Amino acid sequence: MTPALEPLRRIAAYAVCVDSEDRFLLVRASPRSGTPGVWSLPGGAVDHGEDPYNTVVRETAAETGISVAVTGLRDVLADMRSLPRRGITLHTDRLIYEAAVRGGQLCHRINQPTDLARWCSLDDAKQLPLRPFTASALGLPPDTIDLRPDTAPDFPSFYAVPGPDGLHRAQRFAAYAVATDPARRVLLTRIAPGYPGAGRWHLPGGGTDYGEQPGTALIRELVEETGQRGRLIRLLGVASHRDAASLGPEGYPIDWHGVRAFYEVAVDRPTLPIVADVGGSTSEARWFAPADLAAMPPAELTEVTAEAVGAARLV
């Protein structure tokens, strides 16, 4: 019998970096990786508490010898692949950034997950086995090189594990909506008692499920938390926040790191908000006119809400 693969999850960030000759910076996976010989964008796992913006700079330098500056956010997506040799199925939430070269010189690595770095033209890249997310980022048809499970394995939406200092740690990826109706009202939700930030107004949304794309998760959460049906307009940005000793319904302190993608969402036919997920982290949902939102004291909004509303230029 084939042993069951252990489900794991991670957040990773990558750089789309183009030089003056319109060549892309790519790296090759070594025999130490789960997909040896396959090429991808430089990047890697986001460390606990690390801003993905810094992950891109750090990982690109480590894998290629090139120092880059992040210039923008291109895409946020998720994929799931099975790695039988490692005994795992891996869900990765991927943040794809655009970056510009600051300096450095290409170098290769020994006994690391990547072993070769190269500047490749688009025609060169077409001849290489590319990770699907890399092919998509370059505007190429994605290869079907990943072994994918037929269905997503069971995996908790939230889990915390003991860190090296004994304090439990949790890293979570989530998607949130700056949702507006035709009157430009903004939809917000109030955090329920017993949860971090209780009583403050927050964006509708939440953690994505294993195997779920951020946009799909967001539309699902919008219905569960507010009863509204919306459509995605655009990706606004990504926020990273760490609370070194968050206290929630678990009843013990957790070193919490949240990475959140937020989107502009249109609700074309607004209704009276209704919280369907009774007993969860949302106690109330309400539409706010832009003037009312602008007059709200900053302390009544969560940090990510204030940032996202500002990015959408609603107030």
Side-chain angles (χ1 to χ4, degrees):
M1 295 181 61
T2 302
L5 301 181
E6 178 187 2
L8 297 177
R9 188 166 181 174
R10 70 170 185 169
I11 303 170
Y14 301 86
V16 177
C17 190
V18 185
D19 70 2
S20 59
E21 300 178 31
D22 291 329
R23 297 178 301 175
F24 295 93
L25 185 59
L26 299 177
V27 295
R28 185 180 68 182
S30 76
R32 291 192 57 184
S33 75
T35 51
V38 177
W39 292 77
S40 71
L41 299 173
V46 177
D47 288 342
H48 185 84
E50 183 179 40
D51 192 304
Y53 181 105
N54 295 324
T55 304
V56 170
V57 176
R58 173 179 59 78
E59 284 283 346
T60 300
E63 292 184 340
T64 72
I66 301 296
S67 174
V68 300
V70 174
T71 58
L73 177 66
R74 175 174 288 204
D75 199 6
V76 177
L77 50 86
D79 57 56
M80 184 173 54
R81 58 183 173 133
S82 296
L83 302 171
R85 290 195 306 167
R86 294 186 176 182
I88 63 173
T89 291
L90 181 64
H91 170 113
T92 305
D93 297 293
R94 303 186 191 274
L95 314 177
I96 313 298
Y97 291 88
E98 296 176 348
V101 175
R102 296 190 295 186
Q105 185 174 359
L106 279 182
C107 66
H108 311 311
R109 303 203 294 177
I110 299 175
N111 295 325
Q112 297 294 325
T114 61
D115 60 6
L116 184 62
R118 180 187 298 172
W119 288 104
C120 296
S121 69
L122 193 58
D123 286 338
D124 292 337
K126 291 178 182 178
Q127 308 305 315
L128 299 174
L130 301 174
R131 292 296 313 282
F133 78 90
T134 298
S136 296
L138 301 186
L140 300 175
D143 291 334
T144 56
I145 59 175
D146 285 346
L147 178 63
R148 301 181 182 182
D150 294 330
T151 59
D154 290 333
F155 195 81
S157 60
F158 169 81
Y159 66 99
V161 297
D165 54 5
L167 182 66
H168 278 73
R169 286 182 169 184
Q171 188 181 59
R172 191 184 196 197
F173 181 83
Y176 290 93
V178 180
T180 59
D181 69 359
R184 299 301 289 168
R185 294 184 301 171
V186 182
L187 183 63
L188 297 181
T189 59
R190 193 190 292 273
I191 300 175
Y195 288 85
R200 301 173 76 184
W201 289 99
H202 194 35
L203 298 174
T208 62
D209 288 341
Y210 196 102
E212 190 175 35
Q213 293 293 334
T216 303
L218 180 55
I219 297 304
R220 171 183 57 78
E221 288 278 350
L222 192 66
V223 173
E224 292 176 359
E225 292 188 343
T226 71
Q228 310 301 300
R229 299 190 179 276
R231 54 186 175 88
L232 294 177
I233 302 298
R234 62 185 174 118
L235 175 66
L236 293 171
V238 168
S240 176
H241 176 71
R242 180 182 185 182
D243 186 336
S246 176
L247 190 61
E250 297 78 19
Y252 53 87
I254 295 174
D255 183 351
W256 174 272
H257 179 209
V259 177
R260 303 147 172 167
F262 44 99
Y263 296 79
E264 182 177 354
V265 173
V267 178
D268 299 314
R269 297 182 179 179
T271 60
L272 181 68
I274 297 174
V275 179
D277 187 16
V278 178
S281 60
T282 299
S283 63
E284 180 184 0
R286 186 188 305 176
W287 288 105
F288 288 86
D292 295 334
L293 190 59
M296 185 178 295
E300 293 189 19
L301 294 174
T302 63
E303 179 182 285
V304 69
T305 302
E307 181 177 343
V309 168
R313 299 180 180 179
L314 295 174
V315 295

